[in-house]
Amino acid sequence: MDNNKMVVSSSPHIRSIESVQSVMTDVLIALFPAALMAVLLFGYQALITMVISVATAMLAEALWLRKRDIYSDGSAAVTGLLFAMVLPPSPPWWLVVVGAASAIIIGKQVFGGIGYNIFNPALVGRAVVVMSWGGHLVGRVWSQPQPFAFTADISAVTTATPLSGQEEALAVSLTNLFIGSAPGCLGETSALALLLGAAWLFYKGHIDLRIPGGFIGVVFVMGAVFGGGFYGGALTTGLFHVLAGGVMLGALFMATDMVTTPVTTKGKLIFGIGCGIITMMIRLWGTSPEGVTYAILLMNAVTPIIDNFTVPQQFGGVKKSA
Amino acid sequence: MKASSPYLQDFTRGIVKENPVFVALLGMCPTLGVTAFIVNGVGMGLAAAAVLIASNLVISLLRNYIPSQVRIPCFIVIIATFVTIIEMVLQAFQPVLYEALGVFVPLIVVNCIILGRAEAFASKRPVLRSLLDGIGMGIGFTLALLILSAVREILGHGTILGPDPESAIHLFGANFEPMALFAQPPGAFIALGLLLAIVNLLFKRFNIK
């Protein structure tokens, strides 16, 4: 894309120094707090998982595009890191490799590469590994975090996530969930770190608050209204649903992906609300404890329709007569 | 390939150039539904091929006697007759396969490939050419199902010649954890999509049109 010397488009034109590479690098910076938190909580195994995932994703993209430049526009590194963040902290290495490669190839390149993919590549990777090797990702396979024990073997003690039942939920406090000291996917546990990263993206203007706002808002409201108030009252139950599981990571970093989400402002709000509703329907009434992955993938699928129905009225345009 | 006699063309057309699954995208229902194991996929392919060959033959023989206004019901009756025969044969001699294929055996009646060849080819062509067309298309369909089910069984179960544990050969040893996605319906769609991409790539590379 950088090679195109002449771009023909309609006015108005704004010259921007922003490029795909600069945006992706910003996303990587924004993911740094969560990655750091993952290493602090889950030790060296989390670091290895992230390194394998990022390396595989970048390699898969470079091989597919037959490019020497392995970092290129940085989107593969972002996909790889996001994919690692939705995995357990110490999955088998081959699972990470197959998942990251599927994310890039099935999730992105077969559709035509960056800008053309329908589904969020990292979540496609996750869907592939969950459906293929559920035994490693569903049930009591989640490592208990061991803060600041870098060399500890975290796979020794495993448990279920707070979302899998009331007993597990009541075992963690809201503070623990906020800081991240709870069993869960490598990068999703710490709401604090994710919010710090998202603040950077918001400051740089890369994310629109309507999507995470609608998503998190609906999760909170539905958690409070339908959650049964088991977590010490309706409001705290709503808060629990926001902080536990993948809502923070999904809402801030995956539902805000520029390629696979609506471009219109109204559409963004609809997208966020839809994600929230599907997530909570799966959590409360479905058989699976967590539904963020499928919520975002399903909303990705209807993004073109949302965009189509929310085209804004042109300024000075005439209303279509019925 | 040299453009040779129409007979040879009728035969080879269905195998590669106009492969019913990979090129015409017909018969998707059994293609996606029964290809979790090679045995099932090939069994389905052969059953459909047998019906296709027989119905092509009979429809071609009767082509001057079937009034064009009611040709589709006539085709269906002929096809359904052969499907019933195949169903009984399978039930009698291959009960395991019959169980595995389930509802997809009676559904051969409405298989688009068979009806399509009857309508587009056999009802307008002489007997020998229709027969060759049926054989070619049947081989093409079976071949496509064999490729798809091989991909799905090897990746999704790590075996060939399953699901019967006596005949199943584990390709990757006992510690291999198969990619269960490909054993499930979504995996069928993904595998078919990837195979179509590869077929298109090969067609482009070898200039097949």
Side-chain angles (χ1 to χ4, degrees), chain A residues 3-24:
Chain A
N3 302 333
N4 290 349
K5 288 279 181 272
M6 194 179 87
V7 178
V8 181
S9 64
S10 68
S11 62
H13 304 283
I14 298 176
R15 176 92 187 121
S16 167
I17 52 160
E18 213 171 66
S19 66
V20 174
Q21 190 176 28
S22 76
V23 174
M24 289 300 161

Side-chain angles (χ1 to χ4, degrees), chain A residues 98-99 102-103 106 123-133, chain B residues 179 181 190:
Chain A
V98 175
S102 318
I106 302 179
L123 290 177
V124 171
R126 182 182 153 85
V128 166
V129 295
V130 167
M131 293 201 69
S132 294
W133 298 288
Chain B
M179 204 169 171
L181 169 72
I190 293 174

Side-chain angles (χ1 to χ4, degrees), chain B residues 139-190:
Chain B
I139 293 174
F141 184 58
T142 311
L143 206 63
L145 258 57
L146 169 70
I147 295 170
L148 182 60
S149 57
V151 170
R152 289 186 62 193
E153 182 169 353
I154 291 169
L155 291 176
H157 297 275
T159 62
I160 48 173
L161 301 178
D164 184 3
E166 276 179 25
S167 65
I169 300 165
H170 288 266
L171 295 175
F172 310 105
N175 288 330
F176 175 73
E177 294 183 49
M179 204 169 171
L181 169 72
F182 284 104
Q184 297 167 45
F189 281 94
I190 293 174

Side-chain angles (χ1 to χ4, degrees), chain A residues 198-271:
Chain A
W200 167 253
L201 285 185
F202 181 67
Y203 168 72
K204 295 289 269 186
H206 296 324
I207 61 174
D208 190 308
L209 281 188
R210 285 176 188 87
I211 293 175
F215 195 159
I216 294 170
V218 167
V219 168
F220 176 74
V221 170
M222 283 183 74
V225 175
F226 302 110
F230 72 93
Y231 202 76
L235 291 182
T236 44
T237 309
L239 215 52
F240 166 78
H241 275 288
V242 171
L243 294 176
V247 168
M248 277 295 180
L249 179 60
L252 295 170
F253 287 94
M254 291 176 163
T256 52
D257 174 30
M258 291 174 179
V259 177
T260 55
T261 58
V263 291
T264 61
T265 48
K266 239 190 274 173
K268 284 179 172 155
L269 195 61
I270 295 172
F271 184 91

Side-chain angles (χ1 to χ4, degrees), chain A residues 183-204:
Chain A
C185 289
L186 191 158
E188 75 179 13
T189 58
S190 176
L192 175 66
L194 292 166
L195 282 170
L196 274 176
W200 167 253
L201 285 185
F202 181 67
Y203 168 72
K204 295 289 269 186

